[in-house]
Amino acid sequence: MEVQGGGKAEAPGGRRVLVVGGGIAGLGAAQRLCRHPAARNLQILEATARAGGRIRSERSFGGVVELGAHWIHGPSKGNPVFQLAADFGLLGEKELSEENQLVETGGHVGLPSTSCTSSGRRVSLELVAELASLFYGLIDQTREFLHATETPVPSVGEFLKREISQRMASWTEDVETKKLKLAVLNTFFNVECCVSGTHSMDLVALAPFGEYTVLPGLDCTFSRGYQGLTDRLMTSLPKDTVVFNKPVKTIHWNGSFQEAAFPGETFPVLVECEDGACFPAHHVIVTVPLGFLKEHQDIFFEPPLPAEKAESIRKIGFGTNNKIFLEFKEPFWEPGCQFIQVVWEDTSPLEDMTPVLQDAWFKKLIGFVVLPAFESAHVLCGFIAGLESEFMETLSDEEVLLSLTQVLRRVTGDPQLPAPRSVLRSHWHSAPYTCGSYSYVAVGSNGDDIDLLAQPLPVDSARTQLQVLFAGEATHRTFYSTTHGALLSGWREADRLISLWDSQVQQPRPKL
């Protein structure tokens, strides 16, 4: 093993801190820590060639598109991502307006501009609004179970289906209209799968679902790219803080490691990288995605994680939500259209269907968001979650383009509709250091598992405090799955270290 000091001089008495992962949680932690005099040797080990993690803006189609995080959810004063973006001058007047910040969305996705069926019919927007009111009213009702000792069913999906079945009894329309209503409701289920990052709402636990906290504000985007935020965080750090293309293999903790460059100094943690390089440290903040931990926790920590923490990693949900961008020379949609909803007429949330993925993966697609027009291109962004989304990643661009061209020709009723000029898509499930998109509280888990995941190691040692700390969206009990949850978790762990250091200022430094 080649032991490295990271190439930085360390002042006497400084603490060596390593942050594993250069997403917004890791960058936020480092930004907070680098201002403290004790953090004289601070480095971020990033597995890939870029910072930002699941924030990933890409120049394409003559503009910028978001392959990862898309919106600031709840852009208002209580949202640190919104505040940072405002401080950095990354938002426009509309996004910063008081009016925008006061909008209460309830966390629900807005209504479509147009709704089309798989046979090319238009669905009345009044009918869509009526069913949205029913669906989101039931989603809001789930909060009633937050502090209940028991729930009528284990999952959000089962609760929704039970309530919809009861309400169907009072529907008075003809059979065809009832089938259409169920098909529209099925689309709302698929939308909620995208929001929750899950394959099915049957996997999402009912009791803790209401613990997720929605901030006020109308969700907004970055006109010049979300990555502008993480780029600004990067530039606020001392030069060479981030080491790129440095995937970590194993974090050895609760040990006693030495380095020739620091005679007499002992470190409780040693971070071993895939290339054989080793970095001793006093503290390590782990910010890797939960999906990566699920795949690698058995070899990522030595000694292994305590059984309770390992079990919480297994229990918390982590799914996939991907985007598919389609580029057109000319728009086929109407001016002012913002979201095209796609309704598959043969679907119902009350029927358990396991379609052959090869033939029906695209039926999980919720429709297409219309992106602001670029100079020479018009772009639609489709969202798709779950196993169908993961299957989509295995297809070629040509196969995806062909399938979605056929879908668009069906829903528009125009067999001559020009095919998109090009396709661009995300691959979050097969990304080796991500293994999915974001977390949800799965059946069999609750908020206590999130808190357990966030607990530092060793758990009960006063002498060797805070060797391994944990941050990332999956460690935030009320803002999991969001960029602001990730940022806050990074700040939380930085503050935890700073509190420890400040408490030791008046005390002699213990020998490790």
Side-chain angles (χ1 to χ4, degrees):
M1 286 185 189
E2 178 198 350
V3 178
Q4 296 192 355
K8 286 188 169 188
E10 179 179 318
R15 310 301 281 171
R16 306 188 73 186
V17 183
L18 290 175
V19 178
V20 180
I24 195 169
L27 293 172
Q31 179 208 34
R32 199 87 142 199
L33 288 171
C34 72
R35 302 171 187 162
H36 196 280
R40 295 179 186 158
N41 192 289
L42 167 69
Q43 287 200 296
I44 298 175
L45 303 181
E46 167 53 44
T48 71
R50 51 171 288 276
R54 285 166 277 174
I55 293 174
R56 184 172 180 182
S57 309
E58 192 157 306
R59 293 207 68 80
S60 196
F61 315 120
V64 177
V65 295
E66 306 291 5
L67 287 174
H70 200 100
W71 291 277
I72 300 179
H73 293 297
S76 50
K77 288 182 172 61
N79 186 325
V81 167
F82 173 73
Q83 291 289 57
L84 266 187
D87 292 346
F88 289 145
L90 301 175
L91 300 175
E93 273 184 42
K94 184 185 174 189
E95 291 81 14
L96 294 169
S97 70
E98 196 73 26
E99 180 186 7
N100 218 69
Q101 294 180 51
L102 294 174
V103 174
E104 292 283 357
T105 65
H108 307 319
V109 175
L111 292 175
S113 310
T114 184
S115 179
C116 308
T117 71
S118 47
S119 64
R121 291 192 296 158
R122 290 286 183 101
V123 183
S124 147
L125 291 181
E126 288 76 22
L127 181 65
V128 174
E130 173 197 323
L131 295 167
S133 179
L134 166 61
F135 183 83
Y136 290 120
L138 293 175
I139 287 284
D140 290 340
Q141 272 187 43
T142 61
R143 294 186 178 277
E144 297 171 10
F145 300 106
L146 180 54
H147 300 295
T149 50
E150 57 182 65
T151 58
V153 288
S155 73
V156 173
E158 290 163 283
F159 170 75
L160 294 172
K161 289 185 280 190
R162 193 188 71 164
E163 294 297 315
I164 288 167
S165 295
Q166 290 174 2
R167 281 160 175 73
M168 274 182 64
S170 62
W171 289 358
T172 56
E173 299 91 345
D174 58 75
V175 172
E176 282 304 306
T177 305
K178 287 179 180 176
K179 284 179 68 177
L180 178 61
K181 288 173 78 168
L182 285 170
V184 173
L185 283 168
N186 195 69
T187 302
F188 284 121
F189 272 76
N190 290 342
V191 169
E192 204 60 30
C193 285
C194 286
V195 170
S196 287
T198 183
H199 172 63
S200 166
M201 294 310 291
D202 289 357
L203 302 174
V204 180
L206 178 57
F209 189 62
E211 197 161 18
Y212 176 86
T213 302
V214 176
L215 296 172
L218 189 61
D219 290 359
C220 67
T221 58
F222 291 80
S223 60
R224 288 165 290 173
Y226 219 128
Q227 210 167 303
L229 182 66
T230 47
D231 288 348
R232 292 295 290 269
L233 285 173
M234 275 276 293
T235 58
S236 72
L237 299 175
K239 192 171 179 283
D240 299 328
T241 296
V242 184
V243 184
F244 292 106
N245 299 307
K246 211 71 174 171
V248 169
K249 179 183 177 183
T250 305
I251 297 170
H252 304 268
W253 58 286
N254 225 16
S256 181
F257 304 99
Q258 295 180 329
E259 184 180 346
F262 298 92
E265 181 74 270
T266 305
F267 302 91
V269 190
L270 183 74
V271 175
E272 179 187 355
C273 296
E274 293 281 359
D275 63 4
C278 290
F279 296 80
H282 297 106
H283 312 284
V284 174
I285 303 178
V286 177
T287 72
V288 301
L290 175 63
F292 180 87
L293 286 180
K294 282 178 174 288
E295 292 286 327
H296 301 282
Q297 67 157 314
D298 290 346
I299 60 164
F300 201 63
F301 298 97
E302 178 57 43
L305 293 176
E308 275 190 324
K309 187 185 280 281
E311 186 61 19
S312 72
I313 289 170
R314 281 189 282 272
K315 288 197 298 187
I316 302 168
F318 194 82
T320 304
N321 181 23
N322 274 314
K323 299 177 187 178
I324 308 171
F325 297 94
L326 300 175
E327 179 200 13
F328 295 85
K329 184 178 181 182
E330 299 294 340
F332 62 81
W333 51 92
E334 294 163 6
C337 179
Q338 294 183 311
F339 177 49
I340 303 165
Q341 183 183 59
V342 176
V343 176
W344 291 91
E345 289 165 302
D346 57 348
T347 59
S348 163
L350 305 182
E351 293 174 19
D352 289 323
M353 297 195 304
T354 49
V356 178
L357 288 175
Q358 181 70 50
D359 303 327
W361 65 267
F362 43 79
K363 291 188 178 183
K364 195 68 167 284
L365 199 76
I366 65 168
F368 300 90
V369 169
V370 180
L371 299 188
F374 299 138
E375 196 172 320
S376 58
H378 300 269
V379 180
L380 297 179
C381 175
F383 289 79
I384 184 168
L387 296 177
E388 293 85 353
S389 184
E390 294 168 12
F391 176 78
M392 179 276 297
E393 295 185 25
T394 69
L395 302 174
S396 67
D397 281 355
E398 291 73 24
E399 288 171 308
V400 171
L401 197 63
L402 179 63
S403 290
L404 295 190
T405 298
Q406 292 171 342
V407 167
L408 288 171
R409 287 173 176 170
R410 286 180 67 174
V411 301
T412 59
D414 179 2
Q416 304 304 316
L417 186 78
R421 289 198 296 197
S422 66
V423 62
L424 175 71
R425 58 205 164 114
S426 57
H427 299 78
W428 289 111
H429 177 68
S430 51
Y433 302 111
T434 312
C435 308
S437 298
Y438 39 83
S439 64
Y440 62 93
V441 185
V443 172
S445 67
N446 58 41
D448 291 344
D449 290 300
I450 297 175
D451 286 345
L452 195 55
L453 176 57
Q455 196 171 29
L457 298 174
V459 175
D460 52 3
S461 172
R463 190 177 65 85
T464 53
Q465 291 168 309
L466 305 184
Q467 293 177 21
V468 185
L469 303 92
F470 294 83
E473 53 84 14
T475 70
H476 199 291
R477 185 165 182 151
T478 57
F479 292 143
Y480 54 85
S481 81
T482 67
T483 54
H484 54 275
L487 179 60
L488 284 169
S489 73
W491 286 352
R492 178 194 67 214
E493 296 312 306
D495 290 343
R496 201 191 297 265
L497 278 179
I498 289 166
S499 294
L500 173 68
W501 297 337
D502 289 348
S503 73
Q504 293 173 338
V505 168
Q506 303 303 322
Q507 303 169 19
R509 183 168 160 188
K511 292 184 178 177
L512 301 175

